[in-house]
Amino acid sequence: MKRILLQLILVMGLVSGLAGCTTMSYYTQSLNGHLQIMAARQNVGKLISQASTPEPLRAQLASARDIRQFASDELDLPDNASYRSYVDIGRDYVTWAVFAAPEFSLTPRVWCFPVFGCVPYRGYFSRDTAIRTARELQGEGLDVHVSGITAYSTLGWSHDPLLSTMFDGDKTYLAALVFHELAHQRVYVNDDTAFNEAFAVAVEVTGVKTWLRAAGDAAGLRRYESGLKRSADFVALVARTRGELAQLYGSPGTVESKRAAKAAAIERLRRRYRQMRDGRWNGYHGYDGWFAAPINNAKLAATSVYSDQVPAFVRLFELCASDYPRFYAEVARIGALDKAERARALAQAETCA
């Protein structure tokens, strides 16, 4: 889940002169933070050729350049200036996302922005500001969750650079991020984060497999597919708890009894995770951090938003004969439907137009 959450796209209100559902100060910090990054961009090709570039960074940038070209040549993702420049931002995360949900509901709070529509989080370039916002929301009685973000997208409105935070993992991790981010430039539907994120994850997953096969990296493909199986196990585990909590929240009972039952459900989730980790996963500890940190409705809702529709998109990709242009066209067609019809059409798709 750490891997998934770190890929959340920070769609921000970059129009400081427009009134919206948030304050002018929020737009100002978003705009200033983004412009500071844009001003620090360096061309990837030039950095690779410069003798002063450290060798480890040179190798990473060379891989990124090849991955970026593969995205356009083989995955039919936009061939533009995005991810062809680089910025060392000097911190662990580029932004922090704040999620919130009521104490007895799994429906996240939504914030709306000019141009980009409504999303279930607010993004900040300052961790302190994100924490302050989270505390304010907690003061309203809401569950909150703050997640560090390694990459964000302006959906093609600006030429987004590669960031130093995107190189924290191996080449497969980098490829997944680049494919995911570029997918948002290919198809984006206002006010439907679950649709947009699941589509981008589907492009990421199928794209990474395509890339690994093209590279002849059989061992890398096996590792990646093992990670996908663990991710699916994790999502199913969390979904089970969300179902239990949804039933609890919809039933009669006092606030005190519901709080106790909620805490018990979350502890069952942790116990089930440990059993799966030590048994089926043979001691794989990659998700320990997620379970060690506080778990609440905001965190569970975030997981749902970015995972529930992924299988439907992957199935649609297969219906389109794994042909990316056909897949994107079909996703765009479904995306043009109203929200209720869109979800139904995706879930029930039997052919690819």
Side-chain angles (χ1 to χ4, degrees), residues 243-301:
E244 293 172 356
L245 289 173
Q247 184 174 9
L248 167 67
Y249 298 155
S251 64
T254 65
V255 168
E256 290 76 14
S257 66
K258 286 189 176 183
R259 282 177 180 161
K262 175 183 177 182
I266 290 172
E267 284 310 305
R268 282 197 302 275
L269 171 62
R270 287 194 169 100
R271 184 173 66 252
R272 290 166 183 160
Y273 164 68
R274 290 192 295 269
Q275 291 171 346
M276 184 169 66
R277 178 196 65 191
D278 299 337
R280 181 171 178 174
W281 287 4
N282 298 313
Y284 176 80
H285 288 265
Y287 288 73
D288 281 5
W290 193 93
F291 285 94
I295 300 173
N296 57 30
N297 291 337
K299 190 170 183 176
L300 295 172

Side-chain angles (χ1 to χ4, degrees), residues 2 5-6 8 93 95-99 145-149:
K2 183 73 168 175
L5 283 177
L6 291 182
L8 303 183
Y93 300 111
T95 51
W96 287 263
V98 179
F99 300 83
H145 170 60
V146 179
S147 178
I149 308 299

Side-chain angles (χ1 to χ4, degrees), residues 4 15 66 76 81 109 111 142 155 185 193 195 200 205 273 342 350:
I4 294 173
V15 187
D66 294 343
D76 197 39
R109 173 171 286 193
W111 288 271
L142 296 169
L155 308 182
Q185 295 187 22
T193 299
F195 185 91
V205 168
Y273 164 68
R342 183 185 310 142
E350 297 180 354

Side-chain angles (χ1 to χ4, degrees), residues 59-60 63-64 67 169-177 208 211-212 217:
Q60 289 176 318
S63 294
I67 288 167
D170 59 12
K171 289 191 291 184
T172 301
Y173 176 81
L174 175 62
L177 283 175
V208 168
W211 173 70
L212 289 169
D217 189 353

Side-chain angles (χ1 to χ4, degrees), residues 13 16 20 62 69 87 96 128-129 162 166 175 214 251-252 255 270 293 301 351:
S16 60
Q69 197 58 47
V87 177
W96 287 263
D128 289 344
T129 305
L162 295 161
M166 297 171 70
S251 64
V255 168
R270 287 194 169 100
T351 61

